[in-house]
Amino acid sequence: MLIVGLTGGIASGKSTVSHLLSETHKVPLIDLDTLARAVVEPGTPALKAIVKHFGDKILKEDGTLDRPALGRIVFNDAEQRKVLNRITHSAVRKRMAWTILLLWIKGTKVVVVDAPLLVEAGLWAYCGEIVVVWCSPQDQLNRMLSRDGATGLTEEDARARLASQLPLEDKLPYADVILDNSSALASSDPSAPGSSSDPPTSPAGKAARSSDALRAQVAELVQRWKSNTSSLGGWCMWLLEWVIPPFGLAAGFLAVMKRREAIAHKRLNAEAAKKARGKAQALEGQGTETKKTA
């Protein structure tokens, strides 16, 4: 069974991709946000541990978790966020493992794990393929303010939430597939057809083209999964893994080792590229200052 890890960032479009996969293409999907809510329901060990650390102030009157109150604490405090993650990640992993096991028993060939913290929590190591939904930080900020500004979200709050997450750029070295959901993609071809009746250059028109482009990328991805699993080689591999579980475990272990090496190499390249950009910007800044003083 191919376990696909789907991740992204706030307002990157990951939820849209998740919806397309599960609703449009009927791909089995495990939403770790849903599991994360389940493991902190009243009476669960995880919620008791959270209350013990953060106090009763993060509970509503009915005893359920007050997520906004907890969010205000952890979004602005990295150490508190680490404590929360330690409490919840273990419980979520167990739920995820049981869900995957049940799908495997049913003979499922592809399952997608939708996990915002796929990289941060180390869950990428359990996946045979990783998909990152990408857009620029400015796109994320603009979308957050457009989506949640009416509910009182300020630009300062939005920037704090973005800062609380691993930048999308740092997730790219883990990706086997990058789904581009940037506004630049929508504005690169104003004449491209879209599903909206709004003018092509209007914000709504650009959003429609961006959505269409993302939809096409998802459809292509799903088609590749279907082709791979329905081919003779893919079908035989799935059958071997299903009939002989130790074979599947061994294949998975080897894949994880190979992935670790590949990711380490890509991270080194990404760091080198980031340093090179920093040096180039510094030199450009020095050149500008020299011209001003000349």
Side-chain angles (χ1 to χ4, degrees):
M1 180 170 69
L2 174 62
I3 301 174
V4 179
L6 172 66
T7 192
I10 299 175
S12 67
K14 180 186 66 63
S15 296
T16 300
V17 172
S18 179
H19 179 80
L20 288 170
L21 289 171
S22 61
E23 299 299 324
T24 303
H25 297 283
K26 307 302 179 184
V27 177
L29 185 139
I30 302 172
D31 186 344
L32 292 201
D33 275 345
T34 300
L35 294 188
R37 286 192 289 271
V39 300
V40 293
E41 290 178 349
T44 58
L47 182 59
K48 292 177 181 177
I50 291 172
V51 172
K52 183 178 180 180
H53 179 80
F54 293 97
D56 293 336
K57 61 181 177 292
I58 52 88
L59 289 178
K60 296 180 181 178
E61 292 183 1
D62 60 1
T64 58
L65 182 64
D66 188 339
R67 293 180 178 278
L70 182 59
R72 284 191 291 272
I73 297 173
V74 300
F75 274 131
N76 296 296
D77 191 324
E79 290 304 316
Q80 296 284 41
R81 193 160 60 248
K82 288 179 182 178
V83 172
L84 177 64
N85 288 340
R86 277 199 302 269
I87 294 171
T88 58
H89 286 178
S90 177
V92 170
R93 281 195 187 97
K94 290 177 182 177
R95 291 278 185 111
M96 181 187 74
W98 277 110
T99 306
I100 289 175
L101 178 61
L102 290 174
L103 288 170
W104 174 77
I105 291 172
K106 292 178 180 178
T108 302
K109 294 182 179 180
V110 179
V111 60
V112 175
V113 177
D114 179 349
L117 301 180
L118 185 83
V119 172
E120 297 91 323
L123 295 174
W124 61 268
Y126 301 93
C127 302
E129 182 170 302
I130 296 173
V131 178
V132 174
V133 185
W134 181 87
C135 68
S136 71
Q138 189 60 49
D139 281 336
Q140 289 180 277
L141 180 63
N142 292 343
R143 290 168 185 170
M144 288 176 69
L145 294 175
S146 175
R147 182 185 66 190
D148 302 325
T151 61
L153 181 74
T154 65
E155 182 172 339
E156 183 180 358
D157 291 336
R159 291 187 182 278
R161 292 191 181 187
L162 284 174
S164 73
Q165 289 194 344
L166 186 70
L168 281 174
E169 183 181 4
D170 291 347
K171 296 184 179 184
L172 295 183
Y174 293 83
D176 297 294
V177 177
I178 299 171
L179 299 180
D180 188 349
N181 191 34
S182 62
S183 60
L185 185 67
S187 59
S188 61
D189 184 7
S191 63
S195 58
S196 171
S197 59
D198 296 279
T201 55
S202 70
K206 290 180 180 180
R209 288 200 310 282
S210 179
S211 178
D212 288 344
L214 187 62
R215 193 177 293 111
Q217 292 176 74
V218 172
E220 183 179 352
L221 179 63
V222 173
Q223 184 57 47
R224 178 171 62 78
W225 292 340
K226 289 181 178 179
S227 298
N228 290 345
T229 55
S230 61
S231 67
L232 180 60
W235 188 86
C236 290
M237 179 64 73
W238 169 81
L239 185 62
L240 278 172
E241 292 175 350
W242 192 73
V243 175
I244 311 174
F247 175 82
L249 291 173
F253 177 78
L254 291 175
V256 168
M257 293 299 101
K258 185 177 180 180
R259 177 181 294 281
R260 285 184 184 276
E261 292 181 8
I263 288 175
H265 181 68
K266 288 196 288 185
R267 288 182 66 184
L268 286 174
N269 288 342
E271 286 296 325
K274 188 181 293 186
K275 289 180 180 179
R277 287 197 301 271
K279 288 182 179 179
Q281 290 172 356
L283 290 173
E284 184 179 348
Q286 290 175 2
T288 302
E289 289 298 321
T290 302
K291 289 181 180 179
K292 287 182 179 179
T293 56

